[in-house]
Amino acid sequence: MANLVIVESPAKAKTIQKYLGKDYEVIASMGHVRDLPKSRLGVDIENDFTPEYIDIKGKGDVLKALKNGAKKKERVYLATDPDREGEAISWHLSNLLGLDVEQANRVTFNEITKSGIRHGMENPRAIDINLVNAQQARRILDRIVGYKLSPFLWKKVKKGLSAGRVQSVVVKLIVDREREINAFTQEEYWTIDAKMSASGSRKQFPAKLHSRVGEKEKTVISNKEQADAILKDLEGKDYVVTSVKRGVRKKSPTPPFTTSTLQQEASRKLGFQARRTMKAAQELYEGVEVEELGAVGLISYMRTDSLRVSDEAVKAASDFISARYGKEYLPDEPRVFKSKSNAQDGHEAIRPTMPDLVPEKVKGSLTSDQYKLYKLIWDRFIASQMANALLDTVNAEITAGDYIFKASGFTVKFDGYTVVYEESKENGEEKQAALPAFDENDVLKLAAIEGVQHFTQPPARYTEASLIKTLEENGIGRPSTYVPTLTTVLSRDYVERDGKALKPTALGEITNQLMEEQFKDIVNVEFTANMENNLDMIEEGKENWKHTLNGFYKDFADNLEQAAVNMEGVRLKVPDEETDVVCDLCGRNMVIKSGRFGKFLACPGFPECKNTKKLVQDTGGICPKCGGKVIAKKSKKGRGFYGCETYPNCDFTTWDKPQAEKCPKCGSTLFRKMGRGALIHCLKEGCDYTQAVKKKDDDEA
């Protein structure tokens, strides 16, 4: 073996070794090998921000194997991931192994397939120092903010806190949304909803009151009295079709996935958290053992914000579509999707490496998560290269007395790309069906009409999907940073999950308040986005990285000094969350505290009363075995389940979620079975009651 190839992970090494053969040895660096020290700043600010890199603790054996391997080989190739972090790892490896950084020994693989690896090995290049400098600038920026600002938070709020350049903005976004929700004033409004049918048809269709005759503006109905008055006006009136507009609407497919859109869609369609999505995507990229194919990477590189697709991939998709669905399912011209202006175009969009490898063929070789994600990526990519769907649309106006109702619907004329994939709908988006046949001047039969009360709703809390979308739209962070940032704000207890929603904790709100008052730039969306643009400019060789750091640090240091003066002698208290659990010893209502092992109940009378209790989450459900409370629990692996509070006296446990409604047959708590075959059922022994899950409930679960 005359050549050594160094990659980041053993899985990737195994796949690449298969394709390169006996003339190559492929070994893994196991990620980064050098970094800034954990115990100190590690950046010489006075000496042009010179970083002090050290070997990462615990990497001794890996480094020894790398050095020994490099000594024995004629040629060393650095094949770490094709992004800033990967470039930096190759640069560190080059320095550690005594390689010439200007030598053409850097290879990158957009996909871990035979052709992808051959293309990478045939096109080695020198390490891109601009990419390295962009990574260094980001690392040093984050280190300066973390090491300079975190101790300030320890003094003024609580020990153990951390601040981050991007995480602080994320917390602010979540806090700001919570403020909007709390400030929201609910307003009542009504709609007049009718059900009608055409002459000779038994099929009913919905129509809604839109406006008065002669008025363009939609009629606003503020209360029941107004609604009742309109309903009275409509009594005995004929419902006459006064306008029918028919047309054909084109529906175009969505582009293939970027990192951000993959995380969003996997959240909506699969219920995956971003971390789970990226774990499965990494595995699919690095290579899995597929029956009859061996180890192969099934998707292209999964950290990208580009929508570009190679000509070869487009042709392969077109050939597959033509053979499987017919030429009528191909667009007139191959589709080209335009990336955002600030997208890094070094990689393609996320796509299957072999478009003809349908998900069903590999299902038996993949884990459940790998299969679901591969199918999502495959479906979306194939659909993106297919013809538009065509819809025959009908929009009708129906006049009754002084009022105009509107109804609309469609039928599918040509299914096009939707035969493979449709993007998930946001909750609350109305679906339309076909309208029955009718023409102008037809008199329709009114089946039912009613006034329906509604209330305006506050903005929804962020979910992972909507937060990632907002970060991307505002240019905050990059594809590789979304998951670690979310992980950090959750693990630091600034933010917590409430189902799928993200809400700030009391600690998050207090810390954000301090940051807003004393460090406005750090939590400013525009400032953070501009810094990301500066990092992109460094990557493109248009900006000096040390100049960028210097420009940031001068203002930051002044800000930090002024904040110390402003808050001298001040310490902010994080308000305790009071519960209705009464202290056994002194009768006070206990509060929720956070400790090394998570949250617990404590008496607010400390130090006079030192009583503490385990914190349990009451679901409101009643145990079907003994009548005790059903509480939320976690397994050793962190998976949530539900059980009786009287355990071990009662051994009732279930994965199914307790519901607010009671069983109509026996009065016990109903439970919702999640996932495939979802249903609501009674777990009381001897009771067999079940009911289907409503679509709305399914979306909100």
Side-chain angles (χ1 to χ4, degrees), residues 81 105 137 154 184 188 246 319 341 352 380 392 412 430 465 471 500 515 548 555 589 619:
D81 283 351
N105 58 7
W154 302 345
F184 180 80
E188 179 184 11
R246 293 183 172 88
D319 290 345
S341 59
R380 174 96 161 208
D392 283 325
V412 176
E430 290 189 18
L471 293 175
K500 282 188 176 182
M515 295 293 292
T548 297
D555 290 339
N589 278 22
T619 65

Side-chain angles (χ1 to χ4, degrees), residues 622-631 633 641-654 671 683-685:
I622 301 300
C623 175
K625 290 187 78 170
C626 74
K629 291 181 179 179
V630 175
I631 60 175
K633 299 186 174 187
F641 69 100
Y642 304 93
C644 184
E645 66 169 346
T646 65
Y647 178 84
N649 296 327
C650 176
D651 62 356
F652 171 74
T653 59
T654 180
F671 292 80
L683 296 180
K684 183 87 170 178
E685 189 173 354

Side-chain angles (χ1 to χ4, degrees), residues 4-14 25-34 55-67 76-81 85-94 96-97 106 286:
L4 176 67
V5 178
I6 303 175
V7 298
E8 288 176 64
S9 78
K12 192 174 171 184
K14 180 181 178 183
E25 180 184 8
V26 186
I27 58 178
S29 71
M30 310 301 290
H32 278 275
V33 291
R34 291 200 307 172
D55 295 350
I56 293 175
K57 190 175 180 180
K59 286 289 184 85
D61 290 344
V62 173
L63 292 175
K64 186 177 180 182
L66 290 169
K67 288 175 180 176
V76 177
Y77 293 94
L78 304 171
T80 50
D81 283 351
E85 292 298 321
E87 204 73 15
I89 293 171
S90 284
W91 180 70
H92 285 301
L93 285 168
S94 186
L96 278 168
L97 302 178
R106 172 77 169 118
E286 291 183 343

Side-chain angles (χ1 to χ4, degrees), residues 606-672:
F606 183 87
E608 293 86 11
C609 180
K610 299 180 180 178
N611 189 22
T612 61
K613 282 185 178 182
K614 189 176 180 181
L615 178 65
V616 295
Q617 183 186 343
D618 185 1
T619 65
I622 301 300
C623 175
K625 290 187 78 170
C626 74
K629 291 181 179 179
V630 175
I631 60 175
K633 299 186 174 187
K634 281 194 176 180
S635 68
K636 288 182 179 179
K637 293 186 177 181
R639 184 180 174 190
F641 69 100
Y642 304 93
C644 184
E645 66 169 346
T646 65
Y647 178 84
N649 296 327
C650 176
D651 62 356
F652 171 74
T653 59
T654 180
W655 298 113
D656 301 345
K657 185 177 182 180
Q659 305 296 291
E661 59 189 305
K662 304 299 181 188
C663 176
K665 286 185 72 173
C666 71
S668 294
T669 294
L670 289 174
F671 292 80
R672 184 186 187 280

